[in-house]
């Protein structure tokens, strides 16, 4: 019976070492991950402008989108960094003209603009 307990203990230790090795632990050089990087969004409303107003993102990533029927726009999949958001529609002036945005482990919301009449 004592030999059986010793054998079970050895099997348990070997199983633990195997699991740790498979997961990157157990002194095998650290943990690796196949998880995608965390990303964030910038979003807001362009008030008083027609649907399809162009909104441009420059900085750590460059992108362009357009507003929907209520003026909403969104940029997704953004890493931490500095950005500038600028609306543009021929014949319209916006306030503010652009928004500087710094993403630091959080979403940037209420990056809103209004048409100046």
């Amino acid at each position: 019976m004592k030999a059986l307990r010793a054998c079970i203990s050895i099997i348990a230790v070997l199983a633990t070492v195997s699991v740790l090795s498979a997961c990157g632990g157990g002194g095998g050089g650290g943990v690796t991950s196949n998880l995608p990087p965390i990303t964030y969004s910038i979003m807001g409303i362009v008030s008083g402008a027609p649907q399809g107003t162009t909104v441009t993102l420059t900085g750590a990533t460059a992108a362009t989108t357009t507003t929907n029927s209520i003026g909403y726009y969104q940029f997704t999949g953004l890493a931490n960094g500095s950005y500038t958001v600028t609306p543009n529609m021929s014949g319209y002036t916006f306030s503010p003209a652009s928004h500087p945005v710094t993403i630091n482990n959080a979403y940037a919301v209420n990056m809103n603009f209004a048409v100046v009449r």
Side-chain angles (χ1 to χ4, degrees):
M1 188 67 161
K2 192 174 188 181
L4 180 58
R5 283 190 203 130
C7 190
I8 290 172
S9 295
I10 291 171
I11 291 171
V13 168
L14 291 174
T16 301
V17 169
S18 294
V19 169
L20 287 174
S21 294
C23 293
V31 176
T32 58
S33 173
N34 291 329
L35 297 175
I38 296 173
T39 60
Y40 302 95
S41 296
I42 296 173
M43 59 198 83
I45 302 262
V46 181
S47 300
Q51 178 176 349
T53 296
T54 300
V55 184
T56 304
L57 180 71
T58 57
T61 298
T64 300
T65 191
T66 57
T67 58
N68 68 9
S69 62
I70 63 166
Y72 178 80
Y73 73 90
Q74 182 176 19
F75 296 100
T76 61
L78 302 174
N80 287 333
S82 296
Y83 299 88
T84 301
V85 180
T86 307
N88 185 23
M89 175 59 89
S90 180
Y92 291 82
T93 303
F94 299 93
S95 177
S98 64
H99 270 298
V101 181
T102 300
I103 294 182
N104 186 13
N105 297 321
Y107 289 83
V109 298
N110 297 322
M111 297 297 115
N112 300 327
F113 300 91
V115 169
V116 177
R117 299 193 190 252

